[in-house]
Amino acid sequence: MTSFDTSPQLNVWRALLALAVVFVMLATTGWTVSRHDRDPAPLQASLSAWEEGRVAGHRLPDPQSAPPRLAGFFASLTEAQRADLAHRYPLAVGNMNGAPVELRYHANRIALDQARKVELKRVHDDRLTPSGQQYAARRLDRFEALMSPGRHILAFDPTGPGRVAEVFGDLRDAERVSVIVPGADTELLTFQRTHRTHSAPVGMAKSLYAAERDADPATRTAVIAWADYTAPSGLGMDAATAMRAEDGAQRLDALVRALPGTAPVSLFCHSYGSVVCGIAAPSLPDRVADIAVAGSPGMRVEKASQLHTSARVWAMRDADDWIQDVPYLELGGLGHGADPVADGFGARVLSAREAKGHAGYFVPGTDSLRNFAEIGVGAYRAVSCAGEGDVCRAGLSGTATTGRA
């Protein structure tokens, strides 16, 4: 006779109950904020206009074409023709994988100025409530900050909460490229913060870029703060499922495939961003050398081998990160699978010493940031493992600045 306490069916129901309790508690304690996207008119209008447009009497290519085809199209144009397209269709060009990087920067600056003017009118629109005017003022401030001299905006979409990506360093000439994939509550207004700087994508990227230069000044690096997917709002049902991550994974794959050159790419995936990276892993191109997750709720698999990637898989979690209390399983679409720092998962587990809490992994002076930087420059033998010994470095050769070790 099967014991009631150990029956498989009961264990499944206990797991489901645990998931339900956790997510109901999170949803009823102020973590979730219901939000609805605005009308997707600006970007869609630009893309629709592009589809009807012409250059030198010829129709423009499908904006969803493969990056190599779009790159070839832009290469066939004169500088004046490229600039004209950026002015006519700034959002389309600024978000077009395959368009030259510098042209995307230029187009997005134009798009940001257009969005700034829209919000400036909304700030003074008496038909809006005071809170609506305040929200418009916050967006206005964000757009003006993104337009500051020296900023390189690789993607920008003002729709709803908004999406954005920014580059630090020279992306075209980089020998190593790092991409930061952030988690829940990432949008235009949280893309950078004055307080708790290193908990926002811009602060994360600046910190990693500086740490990579300290780790290996001779290696040319670039870091992308990639908030170009619609992340879950709070820790409610969106964060408990893979819906947002599936769309994000497609966008992440498109980004990597459109990057210029052939430099190895390292992904640094924080919190829900690790769900995005886990889903994207099987389809990512071989130039992705590393997938490193921090504070992960899971990668939608039970073992690293199920990611079906040739990239090295790294994981870390600091001792006081609350994410460790989330059930590490996936049932009925809820939850994100096994714990990436668990012994049986198969990731290379790194030290996160000195990191504090769920948002402290990119703070200067932490083992977590130092380890990320060593991975970012390809100095794999220099990383520090969690616990005793050097298990996370097993099978790795010396420093590799290009390609896999």
Side-chain angles (χ1 to χ4, degrees), residues 49 143 155 232 333 362 405:
F143 298 155
F362 290 86

Side-chain angles (χ1 to χ4, degrees), residues 204-378:
M204 293 176 179
K206 285 183 175 180
S207 185
L208 180 59
Y209 184 53
E212 287 180 349
R213 286 180 293 170
D214 287 343
D216 186 358
T219 297
R220 298 190 303 274
T221 62
V223 178
I224 302 174
W226 188 77
D228 193 26
Y229 80 105
T230 302
S233 173
L235 299 178
M237 293 304 294
D238 271 359
T241 68
M243 182 179 67
R244 299 290 189 184
E246 288 168 353
D247 175 68
Q250 293 181 7
R251 299 181 68 82
L252 179 60
D253 182 75
L255 166 81
V256 174
R257 292 183 183 278
L259 292 176
T262 58
V265 176
S266 297
L267 304 181
F268 299 96
C269 320
H270 177 244
S271 193
Y272 189 84
S274 64
V275 185
V276 176
C277 291
I279 294 174
S283 65
L284 291 170
D286 287 343
R287 71 184 292 188
V288 176
D290 306 282
I291 300 175
V293 302
S296 173
M299 301 180 74
R300 304 296 291 187
V301 294
E302 295 304 308
K303 294 182 180 297
S305 60
Q306 294 171 344
L307 294 170
H308 301 296
T309 177
S310 56
R312 285 169 289 268
V313 180
W314 310 83
M316 66 170 69
R317 186 176 66 222
D318 73 79
D320 58 354
D321 188 336
W322 60 259
I323 201 75
Q324 63 190 307
D325 297 323
V326 170
Y328 280 99
L329 46 83
E330 188 274 319
L331 288 169
L334 289 176
H336 301 301
D339 184 353
V341 303
D343 290 340
F345 186 80
R348 299 174 182 272
V349 184
L350 298 162
S351 170
R353 189 172 55 87
E354 303 300 332
K356 303 295 183 185
H358 188 59
Y361 294 98
F362 290 86
V363 174
T366 58
D367 270 9
S368 50
L369 179 62
R370 283 190 291 268
N371 279 327
F372 282 163
E374 300 292 4
I375 292 170
V377 299

Side-chain angles (χ1 to χ4, degrees), residues 101-102 104-105 152 154 166-179 209 220-224 255 258-263 265 287:
V101 168
E102 296 293 339
R104 290 180 68 171
Y105 296 160
H152 299 134
L154 185 65
E166 183 172 8
V167 176
F168 298 87
D170 189 336
L171 191 56
R172 290 184 305 172
D173 294 331
E175 297 173 292
R176 304 276 310 195
V177 177
S178 297
V179 181
Y209 184 53
R220 298 190 303 274
T221 62
V223 178
I224 302 174
L255 166 81
L259 292 176
T262 58
V265 176
R287 71 184 292 188

Side-chain angles (χ1 to χ4, degrees), residues 105-117:
Y105 296 160
H106 177 61
N108 282 321
R109 188 172 184 81
I110 297 171
L112 278 162
D113 188 48
Q114 292 178 349
R116 181 189 67 82
K117 291 175 181 176

